[in-house]
Structure formats: structure tokens, C-alpha cells
Amino acid sequence: MPELNLTSAPAHLRHGSNIGQPLTRRDGVLKVTGQATYAADNHPPGMLFAVMAVAGISRGRVVSLDVAAAKRHRGVVDVMTPDHKPPLAIDPEIKTSPFVFRMEVLQSHEVRYANQPIAVVIAETLEAATEGAVLLAPRYESLPALVGLDAGESFVPPAVGVGNPTENHRGDVEAGLASAEKQIDAVYETPPQYHNAMEPHAIVAHWDGDKLSVDMPTQGLRLSLARIAELFGIAHDKIHIRSPFLGGGFGSKGFLAGPQTLGIMAAKLVGRPVKLVLRREQMYGPVGHRAPTRQRLRIGADGEGRLTALDHHARTVSSTFDDFYEPAADASHTLYAAPAIRTSHDAVRVNTGTPLFMRAPGEATGSIALESAIDEMAWACGMDPLAFRLKNYAEREPISGKPFSSKALRACYEQGAARFGWAKRSLQPRQMRDDAGLLVGWGMGTATFPALMFQAEARAAIRRDGSGVMEIGAHDMGQGAWTALAQIAADAVGLDIDRVTFKSGTSDLPDAGIAGGSAHTATAGAAIHSAGAAVIAKLADLATNDGRSPLFGAGNAGVIARDGRLIRRDDESRSESYAEILARAGVAEVEARGTGVPNPAAMEEYAMHAHGAVFAEVKVDPELGQIRVSRMVGAFAAGRIVNPRMVQSQLFGGMIWGLSFALHEEAITDRRTGRIMNANLGEYHVPVNADVPPLDVVTVEEHDPHVNALGIKGVGEIGITGSAGAVANAVWHATGVRVRRFPIKIDDLLTQP
Amino acid sequence: MKPFDYVRPATVTEAIAAAAQPGAVYLAAGTNLLDLMKGNISRPDRLVDVTHLGGLDGIERLADGGLRIGALVRNADLAHDADFARSYPAVAEALLSGASAQLRNAATVGGNLLQRTRCAYFYDTASRCNKRDAGSGCDARHGENRSHAVLGWSEHCIATHPSDFCVPLVALDAVVEIEGRNGRREIALEALHRLPGDAPERESALEPGDLIVAVRLPPVASGFAAHARYLKVRERTSYAFAMVSAAAALRIESGKIIEARLALGGVAAKPWRARGAEDVLRGVAPTADAFQEAGWRALTDAKPSGDNAFKIELARRIVVRALALAAAGTPARLPALPASPFASTTGAIHA
Ligand SMILES: Cc1cc2nc3c(=O)[nH]c(=O)nc-3n(C[C@H](O)[C@H](O)[C@H](O)COP(=O)(O)OP(=O)(O)OC[C@H]3O[C@@H](n4cnc5c(N)ncnc54)[C@H](O)[C@@H]3O)c2cc1C
Ligand code: SF4
């Protein structure tokens, strides 16, 4: 099968007006009427329920489990333990690729973190399995837990994030700081946070001989499939995963999780389909989280408020048994034009589940520290925070010196500030009050997120009746892939969206890569676009080589695909419908594949990022310290907007997440035991409706010819960056109290009379 | 889940007989109890569902001017009863500042009074907790205890009682009517919850089988309607328990406070009546100084039980503010964000 990729001068053009339309979610009605089946909604005949027993300690060994008591409980079918489990084909401790994380799947009695699975009870009912897990009454040999950012000897990890260098520098930071007229040196702390997707990790696993059928939410169908295949020693084509809908993932469903593997093992053990769904508190452990950080920023500026140096160091943690390092300091690479920049990381190991990518990993943690520090620096220079940012606007990416593929940040600043009314801000803090006497503060932050591309493949077909098919194993995490990708698919084959059957969400479809890094629409979209080009080219060949077609001989001139017809590019009066072409050729359908891949040459040449500017207003009770955000405006430039409605939702969601980062979210960890004490949504606070102010999102026009064929930059994560800092800075502006430990709490603001 | 019996008695007498058995507990709306059962914190053998008992869901004006609220009246129904809200505005405000609309629609008066603490160690069965497992120890004492008690705590337990509703009720001298094995009796709400002492597992004055049938507000309680507020500081605008709260109610005549009522929430294992502060206010003009003085007085016995010294200062400030709000007069309509420091913000959305 020949593959066609995009070039800048395609032989055949495709016209459509699906991209850019604010369509509502095509799966919206299914969802609001409860007909969308999420993984846990599947109940194959004969299905049993599996419930994990999890560790109550965070370091040590399980020395006994009362399996007999659990088995005696009515309805319990079996208890899977390290001593009684189906074998795996490979040791799950082996990292077969950088995207393989170690998981606890009952391979030993060791406990490495609190809430680690230590057994699985399989029963006829959920209630019986739940009680069976209680009856196991584990006993432990416990060791002192390693907890917190000072838990032990720190070390410099070999890499942070996904293979990012641990340290970067450009210019002489110490000299820059020494020559600075104004300096700040400040330490910021961010807490551990958990993804807390609405839908807990779930799996329904069903073995049929050596064939395995799986319902589970995943942001990476093919990666999960490959991991299952290697763990269970079965061929890829024996596995079928369905993941049509995810109730959020945020990175925690990127990889096959330990508990999902346990579900497959349990099904194998009992020879019946098994469902395993995590309880909310069990999500605080084996499925990743955002590690805490302590970040020191040293910044220098000259007498005019121009940066002379920026030094950003981040301390983070990883688990005792695997490596993921929140690349927080990397946030300082791209935004501010300091002639000298240094970023560095170190880490300690603690008894925690391995941290993982969590919506804007590194960018979110780094951004709140950087934006706070920039705000502090602006104040030290006696400058308005926006003026200060403009003064230090980076025309080229500061850390690399590369030009940007596009950067409409100036327009974001302008439009955001105008909408917000920023010009009326007082420079001094604690100057503004509302009618009720509440302190009012205005703060801002710059948003940025890299424009990434992974690899994807899609299959397109045009059928005899003139309709189209587009197949890609993409992932809808709630962000709207079912809609946005179908829009791209429709334009890719020159049809109205309702004439294209868009198939997605299962592992037997072409590999769409991973839904992460804000790159899914760009990556899957590029593959779809390219598959569409390929199938149209084939169709065009059929027509232009056939003497009976009005398009005969148009080969070199090319055709335009529009509305189900091919039209001669140089003579629009000559056209033919897809159906006519296929009917005459006597074929049932034409099909072709296409890929979406990053362009290494462009990446070498350009720095590629989306940008934005966020402005926030908060109100603070002057005596009581309670905080409420009253207004937020975000202006973002993120390349081509495929579906403005969905993009707006993503940006809203990101901004709310940023607010949450600044004021609410924190996993409260017992410093003695390493247990998380608020592992539930009652006490792990995220904003509720009353915390979310009117939000105003502006998307700034931006054309980027370099990032990918469609010019898409991605909007899934950028909204958090900038927003968290904007809220934190607004709290300072309201109160005059600079809080450097997040989330900002009431007690932090009680210091003033 | 542990298997349990479920019984639905037809009469109060049957209910008491069923609930007096060891291992039996009453089930009202279950918004607290079922969570505790699912989390394996409570493991009852038998649930005695009281929600089908007749005659316990009325709001009754009494001949003497008092009010009797049936134990099964839903929190939302009570708060939205126009007469009730007019006569006892601080109570309505407290109710509406609690939990979420969905929970308030379900939760009952009796259940609210007897809801259990939100101490994280009580909820975490891997931790030691004297309340959950008498004599096992208290992991909160030297743990993450930022929101724990600053009044009335002991080395054995530093938990707080989380109810908002109880705070203005205790300020207004509410009385609890109880049916038990030995017939009917009543006690002051203030005497319902016990301070931990050396037996934190004993949380209330109730005996096995005791059923709360009603809460009564005495005739004088409505005399504070013109100057009664509830103020609750919490870590998000809605749907959060109080870090500290206060109910303040005043009777003001000719520029003088004739009588003051003050109670604090989120500071102790029971709704905390601040009688000393009330005394300070009797007969004085409602001035900022007087309120400051009351604030100091209300917290004289307070001491941190951990990382929570700030709660003492916060409580003082809340007292001062709640008194000032009460003195300023009860608003004609309940604020859109009840009990919130942001209550008076214009353009407030719902809670
Ligand atoms: C997420 C969440 C947030 C919340 N936030 C708040 C808040 O901000 N402020 C607040 O005040 N509350 C809050 N609550 C608690 C809520 O108010 C209580 O759960 C509710 O009032 C309990 O009432 P219920 O009828 O559901 O009681 P149940 O759960 O049925 O019972 C609670 C207890 O009372 C006993 N009981 C019930 N009725 C009687 C009776 N008549 N006689 C004797 N014993 C009885 C039961 O045996 C049980 O022990 C919150 C709850 C949740 C889940
Ligand atoms: S404070 Fe009380 S409820 Fe909390 S752990 Fe200690 S004994 Fe238990």
C-alpha cells in the first residue's frame, strides 16, 4: 500500500468547510442520555467482579493475608495474591521501552507505596468482592516511610520529562546576576496532585482461549495493546481493546496501568470475564500523579527592567523503583528573553507510586513558579507586570536561539489586556477594594506549551455510493475527538461530515499514537488529512485515466475534491461525482492510508510553541483571608482552530485547572506514613461552580506553516499555564502578601491585621 | 461491604426496639452513614431505616411561640420554609451553607445533628483512631491536623464536629426530643454532643435505641430574627466544611445589646457555645471594640492541637465579623452565597 504524505504543493486540492465550524459534540446526546458506554458499563455474560486490596503502609512487606477468611465469604470465587496468580510472559519490572513504567501486579510481597495493590478478590458481586478484600486483613512488616521533598539524599536524574536534559544553559548566569541592578531569589513549592479523572480506571477483560477482549479507557490504544501483548505473551492480533469514551485521562490513562493488568490476570485466573474498577481512593497511588516540586528562581534585571539572567532550579521526587521527573524548570526555556538562562533539576526518592505525566507536566508546575517570580521581578523593578513582560519579549526562543515557527503572543497580551481592562491596574498592591470592602487584586501570567507532533496512521475510503470512511484508532477523552477529527476527516475527503463514517476508539484501527502532549488533534489530524489526500488521489487516477470521464486527461492539472465531486482545477465546469467515478470503474470502494509524522527539518529550524496571556481578578476578605476569583480573561494563539467550541472548552477547563492549582489542589500526605489523607473528592478540593468566575477566552488568529500540514498547535494543556500564576499574582496584588507555597491557603493571608 | 440486615419499622416503638440491639444503627438519608459503610469505617449488623416513620417530618409552630422541627425534615425543606427562614435566619443560612444542594435535599435534621467527624484519620482505616477503634490511639494528634480542634480537645481526640446547622441551633438554646427505651426525654442540644475526654468513642448523650424525634426552638429564639447571622470560612466558595464558623444573634434595643448569643463551629467536638463572650456583650453598645472584646473572650481557652494555631486567630476574627454582620441587621433575603464572606458581593452566582 503506497503511502502519500503531504507536501506543500499537493497535486489535488480538497475543499471543505467542516474545519473551523463550532459543531457541538457528535456524541453529546449519547452522553447526556447515558447511552455512551464507558468501560465499566460493559457486562459480558458470566462476568465476575474484582476488587483490589491495597497496602495500608507505604514501605515494607506484606507478611500475611487471611485468604481463607476472604474465600469463606459468600460469593467470593478466588483471591489472587503473589502466591496465586497466572504467570506473566515477562517480568513487569523490565522496561522494554521508555514508555513502559513499572507496575505492581502481585509479583512480590514488597510494598513500595501506600495504596499499592497487594491482592485481588474476585467474586460474584461487587459487594462480596469488596468485603472479601476487607477480610484479607493484611499484616505487614513496616519500614520507615520516605516522605516529602527532603526525604533523602538528592541526586541529579539522567533526564527529566521524556528524555529532556536535566540541565540546560545559555550564557553566563552568575555574571548576569552579578551585573544585575535588581535581583530576586525566591523559593516556590507545589504539592503533589492527582489526576482525579471523573471516570476511575476500569477494565472489563474477557479471555476466549488465547484471544483477549478488553474494555478499558486508554489514551494510547496501541501502546496498551503492545504492553498487554508482551506481558501476556500473546500476538497483537489476538487482542482487541475498545475505548470509545474516556471520562477524562489527563495523562493517567496514557499507559496500561497496574490495576488494569490485574484485571486481565484475574480474568485469566478464573477463566471468566472480570471487571475491575478502582475506587476513588485507590486512584491515589498506582495510576500516577503530579510530583511535588520546590523551585528556586534567581532573576536579575538591569536598571531598565531588562532581564540579565534567569536561573531556575527544581527539586522533585520520584518513586523508589522507577523514574519520572517533573520537568518543572524547563518552563523557563521559552518565554523571557534573558541573555543568560540556566535550568536544572534534582530529585529525591520517596515511597510513592511513580509520578507521571499530568496535564501540562512540568509546564504547569514550572509556570506558576516562573510567572510568580516574573511578577516579583516586575515589582522589584517598579514596573507594571505586562510592561515588564513586553520589555522582555522573546523574539527568538531564549534557550535555543531559534526563531519561532509562529508566535502571536504580543497580540494575546494586547487583546487579553484590553478585554480585561488591565490598563487601570494600580501598580501598588492592596490598593483596590470593591463596594463590599473586599480587597481586589489583578494579576497576569503568560501561557506557553510546546506544539508537539507524534506519529499516527489513518485509513480512508470512498465507497460506491459516494460516501466516505475514515478509520483511526484515536481517543476521545472528553475533549471532542469524535467531533474535531471527524471534521478534519470530512474535509480530507471533500465530503460533508454526515457523509463520512468516522471510526475510532478501538485497537484494530490504524494507530493514532497517544492522546497526550496536546498533540492528538495535530497528529491524528495530519494522518487523516494525508489519508484523505491519498484516497482522493486514487480516485482522481481512476477518473483522469478514463476516456469516458469528463476529467479525462486532467492528471497534470489536478482536481479539486469538493462536496463529493472531483472538479478539474483549471476548468470547474468539468466535474464528476465520486459515485459516478466508482460506478463506471466497477469498484466497490477505493481506499488508502496516510500518516501524520513530525517534520524533523522544521523542528530543527524552529521553536514551536503555542502561547497565551491570562489575566485574573481575585477578591480577598481582608480579615478572614478567604479568596475568590471573580474574573478571568485568557487570550491564546494556538495555530489553526479546528472547532472553536471545543477549543474554548479546553481553554476554559485549563484555566479552571490553573485556578485550582493556585488555590485548591493538594494531596495532603501524612509526613510519617506517606499516606494521602484526603484521597476523595470531598476533601481533595477542586473548584466547584461557585469558585469558577465568568471566564472569557479569546483565540488569537495565528497561521503556522511549519508545525504540521494543518497548522494545528493544540490546546489541551496550555490553559493551565499562565492561569495559575495569574491567580497567584492577583492574590499578591490584592493583599500585598506573596505566598510562595501552593495552593494558597487562608492561613497564609492571616498574617496581616 | 459487610452484609447487614435492613429493617423498616412501622412505629417509633418498633424502631427503638430494633435499634437497641447491639450492632444496630438508625439510617436516615444515609448521606453520612452509607459513605462510612462503603469506606468500611462503620460496620453495622443492622440498619433501622427511620425515613418511613410517620409524623416526624413536620415543622410545627407551638402555642408558646416555640417551634418543633421533626427529625425527618429534610435540610433543604427546612431552610426554604419561608416562615422558618424569617424567624430563624441564621439557622437557614447555616443549613444552606452546608454540603451541596443534592445532599441538603436528602439530609435530615436528625442525621445532621449526629453526623460524624470529618477527621481524615477517622476515615482512613489504616490509621489509628480512638473514635473508630477505642483505645487504638489518635494518629491525628501528631499528624496532618491543620483543621482540627482548638477548643475542648484531649490527648485522646482532637476531632471537630462538622455540622453547620448545629451552630446557630446551639446559640438559640435548641432542645432535642428523644424517644428511648424508657420513654420520652429531652436534653439541650448543647448537651447532646460530648467532648472527647478519655472516651472519644462516646460521641453523644444518646443511649442504645435512642431516637431523636424532634428539635425544638424555644419561644425566645425568634426574638433574635432581626440581628442573626451565620458566617463560615472555608477553603472553597461552596461545598466545603467550615474551617471555622460562627453564629451570632443579638437583641438590640435603644442602641444597646440586650442579649447576645454566640456559638462557634469547626473548633471543637461539639458546636461551641461562647457564653463568656455573650456576657461581655450584654448591655453594651454594639461597637467594634465590644466585638473585639467578645472575640478575645470567646477564644480565651483555645489552644492549638497541632498545626492549627491560625484557627484561633481566625475564629476571633470570625466572631468579630459575625457580630458586626448581626448588628448591621439580618438582610431581607438570604444571600446567594449563604454564610460566605462573599455573601454581599454583587453578581454572586449560586452556592
Ligand atoms: C460531601 C459532603 C459534604 C458535606 N458538607 C457539609 C457541610 O458543609 N456542612 C454540614 O453541616 N454538613 C455537611 N455534610 C454532612 C451532611 O450534612 C450530613 O451527611 C447529613 O446531614 C446527614 O443526614 P442524613 O439524614 O443523611 O443522616 P444519615 O447518614 O442517615 O445518619 C447520620 C447518623 O445519624 C444517625 N441518625 C440519623 N437520624 C437519626 C435519628 N433521628 N435519631 C438518632 N440517630 C439518627 C445515624 O444512625 C447515623 O449515625 C456533608 C456531607 C457530604 C457527604
Ligand atoms: S482526632 Fe479523634 S477522630 Fe481523629 S484520629 Fe484522633 S481520635 Fe480519631
Side-chain angles (χ1 to χ4, degrees):
Chain A
M1 182 71 47
E3 281 176 9
L4 281 183
N5 274 310
L6 295 155
T7 66
S8 45
H12 306 297
L13 285 181
R14 287 152 301 140
H15 281 176
S17 56
N18 295 287
I19 294 178
Q21 299 299 322
L23 302 189
T24 54
R25 279 181 171 67
R26 305 180 89 209
D27 48 348
V29 170
L30 281 184
K31 284 183 174 168
V32 299
T33 54
Q35 295 174 76
T37 36
Y38 289 80
D41 296 330
N42 291 285
H43 293 102
M47 187 189 81
L48 297 173
F49 295 82
V51 168
M52 301 190 313
V54 299
I57 61 164
S58 55
R59 185 174 173 212
R61 292 170 45 78
V62 179
V63 292
S64 83
L65 290 168
D66 195 346
V67 173
K71 279 197 165 165
R72 269 197 308 274
H73 189 68
R74 203 158 103 201
V76 171
V77 173
D78 208 345
V79 178
M80 192 163 74
T81 67
D83 306 320
H84 176 58
K85 61 176 193 302
L88 293 174
I90 60 161
D91 179 355
E93 294 288 298
I94 299 170
K95 285 175 84 85
T96 49
S97 97
F99 288 113
V100 160
F101 286 90
R102 300 202 167 107
M103 48 170 78
E104 292 64 39
V105 285
L106 306 179
Q107 301 303 297
S108 83
H109 296 275
E110 190 192 353
V111 175
R112 312 197 275 203
Y113 59 88
N115 288 343
Q116 173 190 316
I118 53 172
V120 176
V121 179
I122 307 147
E124 298 287 348
T125 63
L126 176 61
E127 290 77 8
T130 305
E131 181 63 8
V134 170
L135 293 172
L136 287 174
R139 288 194 301 113
Y140 306 97
E141 234 165 58
S142 192
L143 290 167
L146 302 168
V147 186
L149 287 156
D150 300 304
E153 202 61 10
S154 71
F155 60 96
V156 176
V160 294
V162 198
N164 304 5
T166 308
E167 301 195 12
N168 283 277
H169 61 91
R170 189 180 169 87
D172 186 340
V173 164
E174 294 307 331
L177 287 171
S179 73
E181 199 137 305
K182 297 276 192 298
Q183 272 202 40
I184 63 140
D185 182 345
V187 176
Y188 305 88
E189 280 194 25
T190 66
Q193 299 172 343
Y194 283 75
H195 304 78
N196 268 312
M198 189 84 95
E199 176 204 26
H201 292 64
I203 189 163
V204 177
H206 186 179
W207 289 92
D208 178 7
D210 65 344
K211 288 215 293 278
L212 175 65
S213 147
V214 170
D215 294 285
M216 68 171 209
T218 173
Q219 297 171 243
L221 279 161
R222 283 306 185 89
L223 273 178
S224 295
L225 183 132
R227 185 72 173 136
I228 292 172
E230 70 181 17
L231 284 172
F232 292 90
I234 48 177
H236 286 207
D237 61 3
K238 301 277 193 205
I239 306 168
H240 185 56
I241 308 177
R242 288 173 297 270
S243 182
F245 306 108
L246 283 81
F250 312 120
S252 75
K253 293 173 184 160
F255 311 108
L256 180 76
Q260 291 169 325
T261 308
L262 289 172
I264 303 173
M265 289 167 66
K268 190 154 195 176
L269 184 71
V270 294
R272 282 168 69 177
V274 162
K275 170 154 90 173
L276 188 152
V277 182
L278 292 198
R279 296 166 63 97
R280 177 62 55 183
E281 70 270 18
Q282 295 178 339
M283 293 171 72
Y284 292 71
V287 293
H289 66 286
R290 198 196 298 282
T293 69
R294 180 183 298 140
Q295 304 176 53
R296 180 174 181 203
L297 277 115
R298 295 191 302 151
I299 306 182
D302 67 15
E304 257 100 76
R306 224 171 275 119
L307 293 173
T308 59
L310 170 52
D311 185 22
H312 191 163
H313 175 77
R315 156 75 57 91
T316 187
V317 306
S318 190
S319 66
T320 53
F321 56 92
D322 209 346
D323 301 284
F324 180 83
Y325 302 94
E326 177 84 2
D330 290 2
S332 285
H333 288 167
T334 60
L335 279 181
Y336 301 108
I341 296 183
R342 179 170 60 207
T343 62
S344 55
H345 299 82
D346 70 1
V348 298
R349 293 200 182 273
V350 300
N351 290 115
T352 173
T354 307
L356 199 63
F357 308 91
M358 176 162 149
R359 204 173 182 189
E363 287 85 7
T365 36
S367 171
I368 194 168
L370 174 65
E371 293 305 314
S372 295
I374 289 291
D375 206 62
E376 295 203 45
M377 194 73 232
W379 173 240
C381 294
M383 287 175 71
D384 171 78
L386 176 55
F388 184 77
R389 284 171 171 83
L390 286 168
K391 182 128 218 168
N392 292 289
Y393 193 86
E395 300 294 353
R396 287 175 163 257
E397 187 182 46
I399 196 75
S400 67
K402 290 181 195 175
F404 291 99
S405 59
S406 65
K407 180 178 178 180
L409 177 57
R410 234 182 256 284
C412 295
Y413 283 140
E414 259 161 43
Q415 295 182 29
R419 286 248 197 164
F420 187 83
W422 181 258
K424 296 202 211 81
R425 179 180 181 273
S426 70
L427 188 61
Q428 301 269 342
R430 215 178 169 100
Q431 297 297 305
M432 295 159 47
R433 296 234 179 191
D434 72 0
D435 295 345
L438 296 167
L439 299 169
V440 177
W442 288 1
M444 70 166 298
T446 310
T448 184
F449 196 85
L452 304 173
M453 275 287 284
F454 304 129
Q455 287 203 16
E457 198 188 1
R459 175 185 169 272
I462 303 290
R463 291 186 292 217
R464 185 74 165 258
D465 63 359
S467 67
V469 181
M470 188 65 74
E471 295 180 344
I472 182 159
H475 315 88
D476 195 323
M477 305 181 283
Q479 86 278 34
W482 277 115
T483 310
L485 294 181
Q487 287 175 268
I488 298 173
D491 284 3
V493 293
L495 283 167
D496 185 76
I497 194 164
D498 293 328
R499 296 279 290 151
V500 182
T501 305
F502 180 68
K503 293 189 189 161
S504 187
T506 57
S507 64
D508 52 346
L509 297 171
D511 182 5
I514 191 165
S518 296
H520 201 42
T521 310
T523 308
I528 289 167
H529 189 69
S530 132
V535 81
I536 292 298
K538 283 192 172 176
L539 193 64
D541 279 351
L542 283 181
T544 57
N545 293 330
D546 185 339
R548 293 166 294 174
S549 167
L551 298 170
F552 179 64
N556 290 336
V559 298
I560 298 169
R562 182 198 293 151
D563 250 347
R565 300 184 76 77
L566 294 187
I567 305 158
R568 232 187 120 113
R569 224 179 198 180
D570 55 357
D571 178 1
E572 294 217 4
S573 70
R574 294 168 70 179
S575 73
E576 197 172 29
S577 75
Y578 299 172
E580 285 165 336
I581 297 167
L582 290 174
R584 197 185 40 247
V587 289
E589 66 168 40
V590 282
E591 62 137 26
R593 287 176 179 255
T595 58
V597 289
N599 176 350
M603 283 167 57
E604 190 50 45
E605 197 169 335
Y606 298 104
M608 301 174 175
H609 304 276
H611 292 94
V614 183
F615 299 83
E617 176 185 270
V618 305
K619 300 201 171 177
V620 181
D621 188 291
E623 287 96 28
L624 306 179
Q626 198 173 315
I627 307 166
R628 192 178 192 212
V629 180
S630 46
R631 216 152 57 84
M632 279 176 96
V633 175
F636 298 91
R640 181 194 294 250
I641 301 303
V642 174
N643 181 320
R645 183 188 305 266
M646 254 137 256
V647 164
Q648 190 186 48
S649 294
Q650 285 296 300
L651 295 170
F652 281 164
M655 287 164 71
I656 294 167
W657 198 308
L659 182 168
S660 187
F661 198 121
L663 301 183
H664 298 296
E665 273 185 65
E666 171 174 26
I668 298 168
T669 313
D670 184 287
R671 61 201 99 161
R672 302 157 301 178
T673 63
R675 291 185 61 74
I676 292 164
M677 299 314 299
N678 59 340
N680 62 75
L681 286 178
E683 307 291 340
Y684 181 98
H685 281 183
V686 296
V688 295
N689 278 325
D691 294 301
V692 179
L695 298 172
D696 190 0
V697 159
V698 188
T699 45
V700 170
E701 199 56 38
E702 190 178 64
H703 296 283
D704 193 316
H706 307 296
V707 279
N708 48 60
L710 293 166
I712 297 169
K713 283 185 176 176
V715 292
E717 293 160 274
I718 187 171
I720 305 174
T721 70
S723 300
V727 171
N729 294 335
V731 171
W732 171 78
H733 188 241
T735 61
V737 180
R738 176 63 70 176
V739 182
R740 300 192 181 87
R741 188 185 172 127
F742 304 105
I744 300 173
K745 299 193 186 100
I746 290 165
D747 21 333
D748 296 321
L749 302 180
L750 287 181
T751 52
Q752 300 244 336
Chain B
M1 243 168 144
K2 179 181 163 188
F4 55 85
D5 289 336
Y6 170 84
V7 296
R8 189 189 277 178
T11 64
V12 168
T13 318
E14 273 177 46
I16 293 166
Q21 307 299 319
V25 293
Y26 287 120
L27 170 70
T31 59
N32 187 212
L33 181 59
L34 296 188
D35 272 1
L36 292 167
M37 289 170 66
K38 285 187 253 180
N40 204 38
I41 297 122
S42 297
R43 292 176 60 83
D45 297 315
R46 170 190 278 191
L47 295 188
V48 181
D49 184 347
V50 296
T51 55
H52 296 265
L53 294 177
L56 299 183
D57 60 353
I59 305 171
E60 198 187 332
R61 238 176 227 287
L62 302 175
D64 66 359
L67 188 84
R68 188 167 181 275
I69 309 156
L72 291 178
V73 174
R74 307 285 167 173
N75 287 191
D77 291 341
L78 182 60
H80 292 301
D81 182 284
D83 266 356
F84 179 81
R86 212 172 305 116
S87 305
Y88 315 99
V91 186
E93 193 168 14
L95 279 169
L96 292 178
S97 73
S100 67
Q102 296 89 332
L103 286 159
R104 295 192 296 266
N105 285 341
T108 64
V109 161
N112 192 314
L113 263 47
L114 291 176
Q115 61 176 294
R116 313 288 301 274
T117 182
R118 292 279 156 176
C119 170
Y121 296 89
F122 171 72
Y123 271 80
D124 179 31
T125 53
S127 297
R128 290 174 308 165
C129 168
N130 286 326
K131 230 185 223 319
R132 183 169 22 81
D133 184 7
S136 64
C138 170
D139 273 343
R141 181 68 182 96
H142 299 287
E144 306 307 315
N145 47 21
R146 192 175 149 262
S147 53
H148 281 73
V150 291
L151 282 162
W153 54 272
S154 75
E155 286 301 325
H156 302 279
C157 180
I158 60 172
T160 62
H161 190 258
S163 167
D164 290 302
F165 181 42
C166 286
V167 180
L169 281 183
V170 87
L172 295 175
D173 280 338
V175 171
V176 182
E177 295 181 11
I178 299 160
E179 290 273 3
R181 280 172 300 180
N182 304 320
R184 176 169 295 230
R185 69 186 201 282
E186 47 184 66
I187 57 173
L189 174 60
E190 207 187 344
L192 178 68
H193 303 98
R194 291 168 43 114
L195 290 177
D198 56 7
E201 72 281 6
R202 289 211 52 201
E203 296 179 342
S204 80
L206 297 186
E207 299 294 332
D210 275 358
L211 176 72
I212 293 180
V213 291
V215 171
R216 222 175 50 232
L217 282 161
V220 294
S222 59
F224 295 90
H227 295 282
R229 290 305 295 271
Y230 184 65
L231 179 66
K232 174 180 179 184
V233 167
R234 54 204 125 163
E235 298 201 297
R236 57 184 168 192
T237 310
S238 179
Y239 198 39
F241 289 95
M243 186 55 81
V244 181
S245 68
L250 303 171
R251 284 201 297 126
I252 301 177
E253 277 172 31
S254 330
K256 288 251 159 57
I257 299 170
I258 304 300
E259 192 178 1
R261 297 289 180 82
L262 184 70
L264 290 163
V267 292
K270 59 189 287 185
W272 191 265
R273 180 83 178 261
R275 289 184 197 274
E278 293 176 2
D279 292 343
V280 165
L281 294 168
R282 190 172 305 113
V284 305
T287 61
D289 284 350
F291 298 156
Q292 286 288 351
E293 176 64 25
W296 281 104
R297 198 51 176 274
L299 277 304
T300 26
D301 295 334
K303 60 180 193 310
S305 60
D307 295 334
N308 56 2
F310 78 95
K311 283 183 70 166
I312 299 173
E313 175 59 19
L314 180 61
R316 270 188 205 113
R317 296 185 190 188
I318 288 175
V319 165
V320 173
R321 177 73 65 78
L323 287 167
L325 287 170
T330 306
R333 295 184 55 203
L334 267 177
L337 291 170
S340 169
F342 301 104
S344 51
T345 318
T346 45
I349 334 167
H350 57 90

